[in-house]
Amino acid sequence: MLKMPSGIGLITTLFGLLTFAQISAGTTQTSFLSNVSVSTELGDIVGFVTDVGPHFAADIFLGIPYAKPPVGELRLETPEPVEPWSEPLIAHEFSKACFPHYIGDLSTVDTYGEDCLSVNIFRPHVQFHKPSTGWPVLIYVHGGGFSVGSSRHYGYDDISQLFVAQGLIVVTINYRLGFHGFLSTGDEILPGNLGFWDQTEALKFIKKHISAFGGDPENMTVWGLSAGGASSSALSLSPHSRDLFKNVISQSGVVSAVWAQDNAVVNATLELAGALKCNDENSEKLKQCFKAKTPLEFLKAANEIGGARRGVNLLKYHPIIDGKFFPKNILELITEAPPKPAMLGFTDQEALYFTILGLSKSINALIPPKPLTEYNREDFVQAVKTIIAPDHQHSEKASEVQQKIIDFFLSDETPESNHSFYLERYTDLFTELQFAIPILFEAQARQVAGSEVYLYFHNYHNRDMYGPDVPLKGSAHANEYPYMFGRHGVIRHFQWNEDDYKVQRAVVDTIVAFAKTGNPSLPSLTWPKLTSENPLIHLNINPNPVVTNGLLAQKYSFWQNLTNEYDFDYLLYKSKNTGEKFHSEL
């Protein structure tokens, strides 16, 4: 039986867009065996040894600072490297979590503070066999819509039992979130992406010091889901971070998605400034006003203006093409970046998490504003006309585009009263535009640019995860979490069956293989990479994984044709008239 991460019981996933909060429910802590010390150029670090299985112990180092605290004059500035310490650093506790963007996301699990930039390192115990070059390193970037979450939520027990016990070092990191990490005025004064600069500083820290922990700095993989997946994607492309690691895993999120790089954050920042009464139009004075406000004032202001948008881009605070961290647009960066093995994929009902379940309300405004049992054809049509393809998006051709989308998704024969059908189509819209289509786009673009790309489609869910009142069931956003980090589902608790254990082995073992070799294939499973002849070949992840071709080929072709015919890019969900170079065909 798997053990839950330390002090964790209930999992409530947040957009990952997203992350999850794990709340203590009386679960058993792993046993503390002894202290363990590592000497680094910065000073000694004292962790502890713990049993995580009947025949395996792990060394745990928690809350190691990788940058100076971003407080005072360092608030809203790019991070500075941490300074050495003179006394041994006792690394027995997780650091404070970075503040979320919304007051409703403050959790009793975490203590919060701006002094939150830390890493946690989990390695096999020193008596465990180590390769001559050191253990491969797997670095997990948490999700949470760039707005919530922390590394504490993932614990260390399950990570150690599932990944470290297979001969890896795993590192989890904190980075600034929401307004502290991603607000932007769209100019050089507050260009944005501070959370990405934090992640980059963490990678530099790990690259420099991981050999002291027995890790191989030349075999590091960055991994994340949702916003964490978009982060790993971004880190693999920016010239400031892409040479710091070898492989990239992006689950249910890539930087090509509109919610992971969009200039809409500038309007949200100005809206926040108004709520904070920082109304000066001069960006430097605005920045100084921001620096003078307390985190509580920020949280109250964010609460006043609301936490989410009703759109394909749900998020208020997110990355932006800033000319610094991203000196060029994403397609150009994919084209020029050194090839890097990449593992990308998504679930079959990603947006179910938002559209029907209505989870992560602080960064979600997609649940229909009426009872689900009353949802009908007209509601779907209005979603297309007001959210997906509004009039201003195409001016005189708006009705033409809207009708093409409606005709593609709806059948004239469908009864008006079949609310489940229309809810499923509504969910399909957002699954495709928020997740599936940009991931397929990026996977193919990376392959064309010379990277070895492995694509997956997670289409399994435990049927006990949903109650009878849920009209649509599937593998929702973040459905992989229980298989990677703990045994409870993202929707509700469910009793594991044999299929769940098979799925867990498929998910975990392919990640481990990829982190070690850059190829997720197993002795019992050959997972082929994308090719120009097979640009949509993929692994279906379920109890009996199988390789299939043509993932969402018809749907991808539909959105690509709309993109090529009209003045809006539906593959990346942005206007072609942004000043960025536009792709027509890969």
Side-chain angles (χ1 to χ4, degrees):
M1 298 290 287
L2 294 176
K3 289 184 284 186
M4 286 296 295
S6 174
I8 288 170
L10 174 68
I11 298 177
T12 306
T13 309
L14 301 171
F15 180 47
L17 254 169
L18 308 167
T19 192
F20 58 103
Q22 296 176 307
I23 302 173
S24 176
T27 54
T28 304
Q29 296 269 355
T30 50
S31 58
F32 179 98
L33 300 180
S34 63
N35 281 326
V36 59
S37 181
V38 168
S39 295
T40 74
E41 294 179 18
L42 294 168
D44 291 347
I45 303 174
V46 180
F48 59 92
V49 185
T50 184
D51 278 329
V52 292
H55 307 293
F56 180 73
D59 295 344
I60 308 298
F61 303 87
L62 303 176
I64 306 169
Y66 64 79
K68 293 180 182 178
V71 299
E73 283 306 305
L74 294 184
R75 181 198 271 183
L76 300 181
E77 305 289 351
T78 53
E80 296 186 5
V82 67
E83 294 182 345
W85 44 84
S86 57
E87 297 294 326
L89 177 72
I90 306 302
H92 285 189
E93 299 288 340
F94 287 102
S95 76
K96 292 180 179 179
C98 298
F99 279 103
H101 90 304
Y102 197 70
I103 201 164
D105 291 321
L106 294 176
S107 163
T108 56
V109 173
D110 287 313
T111 56
Y112 296 88
E114 292 183 86
D115 183 4
C116 59
L117 302 184
S118 66
V119 300
N120 313 295
I121 299 175
F122 319 133
R123 71 175 185 182
H125 188 51
V126 291
Q127 297 175 353
F128 193 90
H129 171 71
K130 180 176 68 176
S132 58
T133 56
W135 290 298
V137 182
L138 186 58
I139 302 162
Y140 189 76
V141 183
H142 73 77
F146 306 108
S147 299
V148 293
S150 79
S151 60
R152 173 194 293 268
H153 297 158
Y154 302 83
Y156 54 79
D157 281 10
D158 274 296
I159 289 174
S160 296
Q161 188 177 29
L162 294 172
F163 297 99
V164 178
Q166 297 199 60
L168 298 175
I169 286 181
V170 177
V171 184
T172 58
I173 71 174
N174 279 358
Y175 55 97
R176 279 174 286 181
L177 304 168
F179 39 76
H180 282 144
F182 291 97
L183 59 72
S184 171
T185 51
D187 56 29
E188 62 182 10
I189 304 302
L190 278 173
N193 296 329
L194 289 173
F196 280 169
W197 290 108
D198 292 345
Q199 294 172 14
T200 300
E201 191 63 38
L203 291 180
K204 291 178 179 178
F205 177 94
I206 298 163
K207 182 85 169 178
K208 184 174 182 180
H209 300 292
I210 201 64
S211 58
F213 293 84
D216 182 356
E218 301 306 316
N219 191 11
M220 304 200 325
T221 298
V222 176
W223 163 42
L225 188 149
S226 193
S231 296
S232 63
S233 166
L235 293 167
S236 72
L237 299 179
S238 170
H240 299 280
S241 52
R242 65 194 183 197
D243 296 326
L244 296 172
F245 59 101
K246 186 176 181 181
N247 311 310
V248 57
I249 302 174
S250 293
Q251 298 175 295
S252 299
V254 288
V255 73
S256 299
V258 65
W259 49 264
Q261 41 88 28
D262 187 37
N263 60 13
V265 68
V266 174
N267 289 333
T269 299
L270 297 178
E271 188 181 16
L272 181 69
L276 284 166
K277 295 182 171 51
C278 293
N279 296 315
D280 202 297
E281 293 183 1
N282 179 283
S283 292
E284 184 60 53
K285 292 182 179 179
L286 180 61
K287 182 177 181 179
Q288 293 307 313
C289 185
F290 281 156
K291 285 189 174 186
K293 301 297 182 180
T294 67
L296 182 58
E297 287 176 305
F298 269 103
L299 286 166
K300 288 181 176 179
N303 187 67
E304 179 182 324
I305 64 176
R309 297 186 183 91
R310 184 168 174 79
V312 177
N313 179 6
L314 287 166
L315 306 179
K316 284 288 187 74
Y317 309 101
H318 49 69
I320 184 175
I321 303 299
D322 59 350
K324 296 184 69 175
F325 190 81
F326 299 116
K328 301 178 181 179
N329 72 47
I330 297 303
L331 183 60
E332 288 178 299
L333 292 175
I334 291 174
T335 301
E336 72 172 31
K340 192 183 299 290
M343 179 176 167
L344 300 86
F346 51 93
T347 68
D348 66 348
Q349 294 289 346
E350 290 276 1
L352 169 64
Y353 185 91
F354 310 104
T355 59
I356 294 178
L357 300 175
L359 301 177
S360 297
K361 289 182 173 55
S362 65
I363 46 178
N364 177 17
L366 289 182
I367 193 166
K370 65 188 302 184
L372 297 181
T373 54
E374 297 177 12
Y375 195 84
N376 57 34
R377 182 187 183 92
E378 183 56 31
D379 294 313
F380 177 89
V381 169
Q382 285 304 307
V384 171
K385 292 182 176 181
T386 60
I387 303 176
I388 303 300
D391 290 348
H392 67 81
Q393 205 157 280
H394 295 286
S395 60
E396 73 277 0
K397 294 196 175 181
S399 60
E400 182 178 317
V401 176
Q402 293 163 1
Q403 195 58 50
K404 286 188 176 184
I405 296 173
I406 293 166
D407 291 344
F408 183 77
F409 279 87
L410 298 187
S411 165
D412 290 337
E413 289 76 34
T414 304
E416 178 68 22
S417 60
N418 191 341
H419 69 280
S420 295
F421 172 84
Y422 294 111
L423 286 169
E424 184 174 359
R425 297 289 83 78
Y426 177 65
T427 300
D428 287 345
L429 271 175
F430 289 97
T431 291
E432 292 170 28
L433 293 175
Q434 291 178 323
F435 301 100
I437 299 304
I439 289 172
L440 293 176
F441 166 80
E442 186 165 313
Q444 293 180 75
R446 286 176 179 266
Q447 185 275 319
V448 169
S451 290
E452 295 185 349
V453 179
Y454 300 89
L455 183 64
Y456 75 82
F457 182 56
H458 187 115
N459 57 354
Y460 168 80
H461 69 280
N462 184 300
R463 295 182 181 277
D464 294 337
M465 188 184 300
Y466 299 100
D469 57 329
V470 179
L472 174 63
K473 301 172 178 64
S475 181
H477 190 68
N479 189 48
E480 296 96 335
Y481 274 142
Y483 304 111
M484 300 186 301
F485 304 118
R487 293 192 62 232
H488 292 298
V490 299
I491 312 305
R492 68 176 187 177
H493 293 206
F494 60 87
Q495 185 67 39
W496 276 44
N497 57 42
E498 189 60 32
D499 283 345
D500 291 300
Y501 289 106
K502 289 179 181 178
V503 169
Q504 182 179 60
R505 288 267 60 92
V507 171
V508 170
D509 289 352
T510 52
I511 291 173
V512 170
F514 185 78
K516 289 181 176 180
T517 68
N519 186 322
S521 295
L522 306 172
S524 59
L525 174 67
T526 299
W527 183 341
K529 61 186 179 183
L530 300 190
T531 65
S532 55
E533 295 78 20
N534 295 296
L536 294 174
I537 196 166
H538 62 282
L539 180 70
N540 286 322
I541 296 182
N542 52 48
N544 298 294
V546 61
V547 173
T548 310
N549 214 337
L551 179 57
L552 300 191
Q554 184 181 9
K555 293 176 179 291
Y556 190 84
S557 179
F558 169 76
W559 293 114
Q560 187 174 50
N561 289 339
L562 274 188
T563 296
N564 292 336
E565 187 174 353
Y566 297 98
D567 55 356
F568 190 83
D569 183 351
Y570 280 95
L571 300 181
L572 302 182
Y573 203 77
K574 65 195 317 180
S575 172
K576 294 180 185 179
N577 303 315
T578 60
E580 297 181 7
K581 292 181 180 178
F582 170 67
H583 61 277
S584 57
E585 296 284 349
L586 290 175

